[in-house]
Short mmCIF file of all heavy atoms in Angstrom, two decimals:
data_model
loop_
_atom_site.label_atom_id
_atom_site.label_comp_id
_atom_site.label_asym_id
_atom_site.label_seq_id
_atom_site.Cartn_x
_atom_site.Cartn_y
_atom_site.Cartn_z
N GLU A 55 88.17 -128.30 -169.79
CA GLU A 55 88.12 -127.83 -171.17
C GLU A 55 89.38 -128.23 -171.93
O GLU A 55 89.31 -128.64 -173.09
CB GLU A 55 87.97 -126.30 -171.21
CG GLU A 55 86.61 -125.81 -170.77
CD GLU A 55 86.55 -124.30 -170.59
OE1 GLU A 55 87.56 -123.61 -170.91
OE2 GLU A 55 85.52 -123.81 -170.11
N ARG A 56 90.52 -128.12 -171.27
CA ARG A 56 91.78 -128.48 -171.93
C ARG A 56 91.86 -129.98 -172.20
O ARG A 56 92.31 -130.40 -173.27
CB ARG A 56 92.96 -128.00 -171.09
CG ARG A 56 93.05 -126.47 -171.09
CD ARG A 56 94.01 -125.92 -170.09
NE ARG A 56 95.38 -126.22 -170.45
CZ ARG A 56 96.42 -125.88 -169.70
NH1 ARG A 56 96.24 -125.23 -168.56
NH2 ARG A 56 97.64 -126.19 -170.08
N VAL A 57 91.42 -130.79 -171.24
CA VAL A 57 91.42 -132.24 -171.44
C VAL A 57 90.45 -132.61 -172.57
O VAL A 57 90.78 -133.43 -173.44
CB VAL A 57 91.06 -132.98 -170.13
CG1 VAL A 57 90.81 -134.46 -170.39
CG2 VAL A 57 92.17 -132.80 -169.10
N GLU A 58 89.27 -132.00 -172.57
CA GLU A 58 88.30 -132.27 -173.62
C GLU A 58 88.88 -131.91 -174.99
O GLU A 58 88.69 -132.64 -175.97
CB GLU A 58 87.02 -131.48 -173.38
CG GLU A 58 85.95 -131.74 -174.42
CD GLU A 58 84.69 -130.93 -174.19
OE1 GLU A 58 84.60 -130.19 -173.20
OE2 GLU A 58 83.78 -131.05 -175.03
N ALA A 59 89.59 -130.81 -175.08
CA ALA A 59 90.20 -130.40 -176.36
C ALA A 59 91.23 -131.42 -176.83
O ALA A 59 91.31 -131.72 -178.03
CB ALA A 59 90.84 -129.02 -176.22
N VAL A 60 91.99 -131.99 -175.91
CA VAL A 60 92.98 -133.00 -176.27
C VAL A 60 92.27 -134.24 -176.82
O VAL A 60 92.66 -134.79 -177.85
CB VAL A 60 93.87 -133.36 -175.06
CG1 VAL A 60 94.70 -134.60 -175.35
CG2 VAL A 60 94.77 -132.19 -174.70
N TYR A 61 91.21 -134.67 -176.13
CA TYR A 61 90.45 -135.84 -176.61
C TYR A 61 89.82 -135.56 -177.97
O TYR A 61 89.85 -136.41 -178.86
CB TYR A 61 89.37 -136.23 -175.60
CG TYR A 61 89.89 -137.07 -174.46
CD1 TYR A 61 89.91 -136.57 -173.16
CD2 TYR A 61 90.35 -138.36 -174.68
CE1 TYR A 61 90.39 -137.33 -172.11
CE2 TYR A 61 90.83 -139.13 -173.63
CZ TYR A 61 90.85 -138.62 -172.36
OH TYR A 61 91.32 -139.38 -171.32
N ARG A 62 89.24 -134.37 -178.13
CA ARG A 62 88.61 -134.03 -179.40
C ARG A 62 89.64 -134.06 -180.53
O ARG A 62 89.39 -134.60 -181.60
CB ARG A 62 87.97 -132.64 -179.30
CG ARG A 62 87.16 -132.29 -180.54
CD ARG A 62 86.40 -130.98 -180.40
NE ARG A 62 85.33 -131.13 -179.42
CZ ARG A 62 85.24 -130.44 -178.28
NH1 ARG A 62 86.16 -129.54 -177.99
NH2 ARG A 62 84.24 -130.62 -177.46
N GLU A 63 90.81 -133.51 -180.27
CA GLU A 63 91.87 -133.51 -181.28
C GLU A 63 92.31 -134.94 -181.61
O GLU A 63 92.54 -135.28 -182.77
CB GLU A 63 93.06 -132.70 -180.77
CG GLU A 63 94.16 -132.52 -181.78
CD GLU A 63 95.29 -131.66 -181.26
OE1 GLU A 63 94.99 -130.60 -180.66
OE2 GLU A 63 96.44 -132.04 -181.42
N ALA A 64 92.40 -135.79 -180.60
CA ALA A 64 92.80 -137.18 -180.83
C ALA A 64 91.76 -137.92 -181.65
O ALA A 64 92.09 -138.70 -182.57
CB ALA A 64 93.02 -137.88 -179.50
N ILE A 65 90.48 -137.69 -181.35
CA ILE A 65 89.41 -138.34 -182.08
C ILE A 65 89.41 -137.88 -183.53
O ILE A 65 89.32 -138.69 -184.46
CB ILE A 65 88.04 -138.08 -181.42
CG1 ILE A 65 87.95 -138.81 -180.10
CG2 ILE A 65 86.89 -138.47 -182.35
CD1 ILE A 65 86.77 -138.42 -179.24
N GLU A 66 89.51 -136.58 -183.75
CA GLU A 66 89.51 -136.04 -185.11
C GLU A 66 90.73 -136.51 -185.89
O GLU A 66 90.65 -136.80 -187.08
CB GLU A 66 89.44 -134.52 -185.07
CG GLU A 66 88.11 -133.99 -184.59
CD GLU A 66 88.10 -132.50 -184.30
OE1 GLU A 66 89.16 -131.84 -184.47
OE2 GLU A 66 87.06 -132.00 -183.89
N GLY A 67 91.87 -136.62 -185.22
CA GLY A 67 93.10 -137.06 -185.87
C GLY A 67 93.07 -138.52 -186.26
O GLY A 67 93.73 -138.95 -187.21
N SER A 68 92.26 -139.32 -185.54
CA SER A 68 92.20 -140.75 -185.83
C SER A 68 91.12 -141.07 -186.86
O SER A 68 90.96 -142.22 -187.27
CB SER A 68 91.92 -141.54 -184.55
OG SER A 68 90.61 -141.29 -184.08
N GLY A 69 90.32 -140.06 -187.23
CA GLY A 69 89.26 -140.29 -188.19
C GLY A 69 88.02 -140.90 -187.54
O GLY A 69 87.07 -141.25 -188.22
N GLY A 70 88.04 -141.02 -186.22
CA GLY A 70 86.90 -141.60 -185.50
C GLY A 70 85.80 -140.61 -185.25
O GLY A 70 85.90 -139.43 -185.58
N THR A 71 84.75 -141.09 -184.67
CA THR A 71 83.63 -140.24 -184.29
C THR A 71 83.35 -140.45 -182.81
O THR A 71 83.82 -141.40 -182.21
CB THR A 71 82.36 -140.58 -185.10
OG1 THR A 71 82.02 -141.95 -184.85
CG2 THR A 71 82.58 -140.36 -186.58
#
Side-chain angles (χ1 to χ4, degrees):
E55 289 170 6
R56 291 169 69 183
V57 169
E58 182 181 358
V60 169
Y61 278 113
R62 187 174 291 118
E63 185 177 315
I65 290 168
E66 290 170 359
S68 68
T71 60

